[in-house]
Amino acid sequence: MSDSSRTTSPTHVADPTLTETSGSIGCPRWQSTRRSARMARTGLARLNEADAGDATALVLACAAVPRWARAIVEGRPYADADAALTAARTAAAPWTPEEVDAALARHPRIGERVRGEETDAAHSRAEQAGVDRTDAETARRLSAGNAAYEARFGHVFLIRAAGRTGPEILAALEERLTNDPVSERLVVAEQLREIAVLRLAKELGVTPKEPEMSDTRAAGTTAANATAPHATAPHATAAIVLGDNQYGKAEVRLLRVDRDTPRHRITELSVTSQLRGDFASAHLVGDNAPVVATDTQKNTVFALAKDGVGAPEEFALRLAEHFTSGFDWVSGGRWLVKQYTWERIPTTLADNATDGTHDHAFVKGGTETRTAVVQRDGDDVFVVAGLEDLSVLKSTGSEFHGFPRDRYTTLAETDDRILATSVTARWRYTTADVDYDALYADVRRLLLETFADVHSFALQQTLYKMGERVLHEHPEIGEIRFSMPNLHHFLVDLAPFGMDNPGEVFYAADRPYGLIEAEVRRADVAPDPRAWSTVAGFC
């Protein structure tokens, strides 16, 4: 379907295996206008009885994919044309991205006049016969659509044009402009397969019986069929397509010891790396060519730690840069880093100690875990810092009353109670120009101070005041989210034992519990859901 005298696709890929010449100097053998006498055979004999070179030329004129052509030629002889077409479909499922690019480079724009005497140019002219070039409005819209498509996807618009009118092709073009790049790539690959099989059938003098050709007016239909090239979707309106996806290695445990001075520093992390990008072929047809092994991701975590860890946010950003810059098809991902608390062991001994703490002995610290989630989407980077399991309790300064009562309400009102919770908080930075360690330490301080100082009438009120103070103190933060269970402590009734209990003995109930969750944000900062899209739960 091409004019070989010019490059029509921005993604033209030259294939060195197609430079063998026969006839005219510099003209690929399979495009030679001087046909061998052996090619005068008709029907299946043209494929079965031709020598390997002429048979390969015959198949390559249908699609410029050498591996595909080689598989078909090596499968000869075929009992009938259907067997040959079945072999063609099988060899084309799947084609690699490079093979798709090579085949695309031989196709002209839809609606443009096809020149040239080559076999594939003749195929293109016949296939586009349904496009009425005297229809000025359709021609204008096709031209504009082609330009918009190439700007969006980087290659010519491709469709099995045989049997379709100009308006039908235009409708499919405008529909497919709404596809995302991954889905459209699958549509293109399936259209190339259909075109290749149709052309081979024509060369063999038959009309293919299977599969029924897909209707690309439903943008997802062809992508769905790519998972099973020999099957036809039973209902074009009920297509099944691959949605958002990511993969990687979860919870890589890492301990880094900094020994640059006699007073060591340790950092313990749990790192989860998940990649996003063009991985559709792995899901749809089991092609692992783009799959960066999860074991490789694990090893990368350890290798990058050799140069130091720093703040968990910084380490996650380094991982993001490594994978997105090192693999062209990785467009983004999600990197979660949790940092566990270790504290130096206090000591009264002088040996191996500084300021009353040991230089290289540590004890597990507080209950909380520091967290950082970095997500990258192309050039957009989102950093969400946080902490979880920060257990806090105040023995007074909390009330709870004035709530509605119905026949199922048994909870007594109180003007003095224990308030306890385990704080999970995450906050989004609106700038990368921050000292992550210093900011984390100060946000933690503000959360603890506010919890302690606010006289609470409800855990919701305490939550809001904690978030409000963080935002007042730190303009670098756009919003902060909380998930805070109300860890109930019920006063034990000691009256049956003849004893009073003036708020001294409580039963600590771990479940069920109230769960309070909310976001506190700046009114003048637009929220960005992408930053939170894979943060589990509310925060």
Side-chain angles (χ1 to χ4, degrees):
M1 281 174 72
S2 88
D3 177 356
S4 60
S5 64
R6 58 182 174 84
T7 299
T8 60
S9 168
T11 57
H12 177 79
V13 178
D15 192 324
T17 65
L18 303 182
T19 58
E20 179 185 354
T21 61
S22 174
S24 54
I25 299 297
C27 179
R29 176 174 184 165
W30 59 280
Q31 289 292 354
S32 175
T33 58
R34 194 162 59 110
R35 305 295 298 273
S36 164
R38 289 187 298 273
M39 295 300 285
R41 299 179 180 89
T42 60
L44 183 62
R46 296 188 62 200
L47 179 62
N48 276 346
E49 298 176 15
D51 66 24
D54 284 340
T56 301
L58 172 75
V59 179
L60 283 174
C62 302
V65 181
R67 179 197 57 78
W68 176 71
R70 187 162 52 250
I72 296 171
V73 171
E74 290 175 353
R76 299 179 303 167
Y78 296 101
D80 52 39
D82 282 346
L85 297 180
T86 296
R89 294 187 188 103
T90 300
W95 279 345
T96 68
E98 293 76 17
E99 290 171 338
V100 170
D101 287 339
L104 266 176
R106 299 299 310 175
H107 286 266
R109 294 183 179 91
I110 294 291
E112 291 189 355
R113 191 172 301 280
V114 181
R115 296 178 175 84
E117 299 303 321
E118 300 85 354
T119 304
D120 61 347
H123 279 304
S124 292
R125 281 191 292 273
E127 289 158 354
Q128 294 197 39
V131 180
D132 182 4
R133 291 180 176 82
T134 64
D135 182 347
E137 177 60 16
T138 297
R140 182 191 66 77
R141 290 175 62 188
L142 277 173
S143 177
N146 280 332
Y149 182 96
E150 290 175 22
R152 175 166 170 74
F153 297 113
H155 56 75
V156 296
F157 170 68
L158 186 82
I159 188 171
R160 174 185 53 79
R164 287 189 168 97
T165 66
E168 288 173 338
I169 293 172
L170 177 62
L173 169 58
E174 292 175 343
E175 177 72 23
R176 283 167 53 185
L177 277 170
T178 65
N179 283 353
D180 62 86
V182 172
S183 296
E184 180 57 21
R185 190 71 171 175
L186 297 173
V187 174
V188 169
E190 181 63 16
Q191 290 297 295
L192 278 169
R193 283 188 281 271
E194 290 189 5
I195 292 167
V197 173
L198 276 174
R199 288 182 174 185
L200 184 59
K202 183 177 180 181
E203 292 292 334
L204 301 182
V206 298
T207 300
K209 298 176 182 177
E210 295 186 44
E212 180 181 324
M213 296 305 163
S214 64
D215 185 352
T216 62
R217 289 175 296 179
T221 303
T222 306
N225 289 348
T227 64
H230 300 173
T232 302
H235 302 289
T237 58
I240 299 172
V241 298
L242 178 67
D244 292 340
N245 61 90
Q246 61 185 22
Y247 81 100
K249 186 68 83 175
E251 299 187 33
V252 179
R253 294 300 291 261
L254 161 70
L255 180 70
R256 160 78 191 195
V257 181
D258 289 303
R259 304 174 182 271
D260 49 344
T261 69
R263 190 167 172 82
H264 295 169
R265 300 183 307 278
I266 66 171
T267 306
E268 184 183 2
L269 303 178
S270 171
V271 181
T272 294
S273 169
Q274 294 176 288
L275 307 183
R276 303 172 191 157
D278 187 4
F279 300 107
S281 63
H283 290 270
L284 298 178
V285 293
D287 177 11
N288 290 324
V291 177
V292 182
T294 65
D295 191 68
T296 301
Q297 296 181 52
K298 174 204 69 179
N299 293 341
T300 303
V301 170
F302 294 134
L304 266 60
K306 177 64 173 66
D307 295 327
V309 172
E313 294 88 347
E314 293 169 343
F315 191 62
L317 287 166
R318 286 171 58 201
L319 288 167
E321 177 61 25
H322 172 85
F323 287 111
T324 56
S325 64
F327 302 93
D328 292 342
W329 58 92
V330 177
S331 59
R334 172 184 182 269
W335 292 269
L336 167 64
V337 180
K338 295 184 177 183
Q339 180 175 341
Y340 302 101
T341 306
W342 287 92
E343 297 174 353
R344 297 183 184 277
I345 294 178
T347 179
T348 59
L349 304 177
D351 292 343
N352 299 314
T354 305
D355 297 329
T357 59
H358 205 279
D359 289 338
H360 52 258
F362 303 83
V363 62
K364 200 76 170 180
T367 61
E368 82 269 15
T369 300
R370 181 177 175 181
T371 65
V373 179
V374 168
Q375 295 196 78
R376 184 158 181 167
D377 182 6
D379 293 331
D380 296 330
V381 179
F382 308 95
V383 179
V384 175
L387 53 78
E388 57 189 32
D389 299 327
L390 178 63
S391 296
V392 291
L393 180 150
K394 57 195 302 183
S395 56
T396 191
S398 175
E399 307 178 28
F400 190 61
H401 47 75
F403 49 88
R405 306 190 73 88
D406 67 5
R407 62 189 178 125
Y408 299 118
T409 304
T410 60
L411 182 67
E413 296 188 348
T414 180
D415 58 7
D416 188 14
R417 67 170 181 170
I418 288 177
L419 181 64
T421 186
S422 178
V423 180
T424 294
R426 298 186 195 271
W427 52 92
R428 178 175 69 92
Y429 291 118
T430 57
T431 176
D433 187 19
V434 296
D435 181 334
Y436 292 112
D437 285 338
L439 223 61
Y440 173 82
D442 200 52
V443 170
R444 182 181 183 277
R445 175 187 66 83
L446 293 169
L447 294 176
L448 292 174
E449 283 185 2
T450 308
F451 175 84
D453 291 344
V454 170
H455 185 91
S456 177
F457 293 96
L459 185 54
Q460 288 91 331
Q461 172 206 11
T462 300
L463 177 156
Y464 181 81
K465 290 296 184 182
M466 292 165 69
E468 182 182 50
R469 187 167 180 203
V470 168
L471 295 181
H472 275 317
E473 296 287 336
H474 291 292
E476 310 95 333
I477 298 174
E479 69 264 1
I480 181 169
R481 292 184 176 185
F482 295 93
S483 180
M484 296 169 58
N486 198 338
L487 303 180
H488 303 298
H489 292 72
F490 299 111
L491 192 68
V492 177
D493 181 10
L494 299 179
F497 317 125
M499 306 168 69
D500 63 355
N501 187 8
E504 295 173 334
V505 180
F506 293 84
Y507 164 60
D510 63 344
R511 57 181 58 92
Y513 53 84
L515 181 60
I516 314 304
E517 297 179 315
E519 176 185 78
V520 184
R521 63 181 180 86
R522 301 181 187 281
D524 59 347
V525 175
D528 197 325
R530 291 179 297 171
W532 301 93
S533 61
T534 61
V535 173
F538 189 81
C539 70

